Amino acid sequence: MGKLLKYKIEKLKREKRKAKAVKKRKENTRSKIVRFLIVCEGACTEPNYFRALVKDRFSEVREEVIKGEGMFTCALVKRTLHIKDELEQKRQLPFDRVWVVFDRDEFSDVNEAIRLCQSYSFNSAWTNEAFELWYYLHFQYLNTGLSRHDYIDKLEKEIRKHDSFKNYKYEKNNPDVYNVLSSIGNEDFAKQNAKRLRSLFVGNVNYQMHNPCTTVDLLVNELENPVSLIK
């Protein structure tokens, strides 16, 4: 009888230790969640890309909310502040990282928008001149500023070099672009190219003149390595 009682006591102790360990793991997991808010200038192109990126690289340590907002750049930053405040109040949970995604394209308020992001402690993933530059850098380095149309032409030529995409036609809002880049492009090469382009403009705060240039890779890095943001 004594041995049976001792066995039961030891079993209960093991179960308690196990339950405590499981609870601790869950608490640690929750504490490591990095909540992103990403607000994009493009109504579909950029949100589609980041949704695909997040889906493909799902991790329990991040949670992203992505909104597509077709607005002028400074208005987009102010809209981001509104979205952030609204969602944080609704959920009673703060965002750890806020990113605003926009192009230089035909808009002339890029410098003001970047400074406004900084004043709100937001991060900006901007491209001069168009988001498609980031796509093209997966295949080739380019240090000549082009229009969105020219980027698309060059991108199509690179993609069509691959047998599975001989008749490829780029569609601006196609949600499959990320899958195409993942299958035949080189993301690490794109990151190196983006960093190389930024090195050409070190010390120059007139961002409108950084052409071509992009900081999209910085956001991609954070999404892929959210644990590195935890202090």
Side-chain angles (χ1 to χ4, degrees):
M1 192 73 172
K3 289 184 178 180
L4 180 60
L5 181 59
K6 186 177 180 181
Y7 170 77
K8 287 184 176 179
I9 291 173
E10 290 299 324
K11 183 179 179 182
L12 285 172
K13 286 182 178 178
R14 287 196 300 271
E15 289 176 349
K16 284 183 179 179
R17 286 196 296 269
K18 185 177 179 181
K20 187 176 180 180
V22 170
K23 182 180 178 182
K24 187 174 181 180
R25 283 198 299 271
K26 288 182 177 179
E27 288 174 348
N28 288 340
T29 297
R30 283 197 294 271
S31 68
K32 289 182 180 179
I33 290 175
V34 179
R35 293 177 174 84
F36 285 85
L37 172 63
I38 303 171
V39 181
C40 303
E41 175 189 66
C44 292
T45 303
E46 293 89 341
N48 281 342
Y49 173 82
F50 289 112
R51 287 192 186 103
L53 171 65
V54 170
K55 182 179 179 181
D56 187 58
R57 302 175 187 275
F58 176 79
S59 171
E60 72 278 7
V61 298
R62 64 177 175 246
E63 177 180 316
E64 296 80 10
V65 178
I66 301 175
K67 300 276 186 176
E69 297 285 339
M71 304 174 69
F72 289 99
T73 318
C74 281
L76 176 73
V77 179
K78 294 175 182 177
R79 174 62 181 156
T80 300
L81 180 63
H82 175 76
I83 293 172
K84 173 183 176 292
D85 291 344
E86 184 178 59
L87 291 178
E88 287 183 340
Q89 183 175 12
K90 180 180 179 180
R91 298 174 180 178
Q92 294 298 299
L93 286 170
F95 288 103
D96 300 290
R97 305 291 286 174
V98 179
W99 281 84
V100 190
V101 183
F102 53 88
D103 296 345
R104 162 68 173 84
D105 218 358
E106 71 269 25
F107 304 127
S108 59
D109 59 343
V110 169
N111 288 346
E112 293 83 354
I114 292 173
R115 285 193 286 268
L116 191 58
C117 281
Q118 293 168 346
S119 72
Y120 291 151
S121 297
F122 294 167
N123 300 281
S124 55
W126 54 271
T127 305
N128 192 356
E129 179 164 327
F131 194 76
E132 284 78 7
L133 167 64
W134 167 245
Y135 294 164
Y136 184 72
L137 293 178
H138 283 67
F139 302 95
Q140 296 288 343
Y141 174 71
L142 178 72
N143 60 4
T144 302
L146 301 172
S147 67
R148 184 187 299 273
H149 177 75
D150 289 334
Y151 283 128
I152 291 173
D153 282 346
K154 293 178 77 64
L155 179 64
E156 286 180 338
K157 289 176 182 177
E158 288 298 323
I159 293 176
R160 289 171 184 167
K161 291 178 181 179
H162 299 265
D163 292 338
S164 301
F165 299 93
K166 291 291 187 183
N167 299 312
Y168 180 82
K169 178 69 176 176
Y170 177 80
E171 296 178 7
K172 191 174 184 297
N173 298 328
N174 189 336
D176 292 329
V177 173
Y178 175 77
N179 293 328
V180 173
L181 295 175
S182 298
S183 62
I184 61 173
N186 186 328
E187 186 184 275
D188 288 337
F189 183 57
K191 291 176 181 178
Q192 293 170 13
N193 288 335
K195 184 176 180 180
R196 184 178 172 188
L197 285 175
R198 287 196 299 276
S199 71
L200 301 176
F201 305 102
V202 173
N204 184 345
V205 295
N206 185 4
Y207 303 104
Q208 290 185 186
M209 302 304 294
H210 297 198
N211 189 15
C213 196
T214 184
T215 62
V216 170
D217 60 302
L218 303 180
L219 172 53
V220 171
N221 270 330
E222 285 201 1
L223 290 172
E224 293 174 355
N225 304 283
V227 175
S228 67
L229 302 172
I230 299 172
K231 298 179 180 179

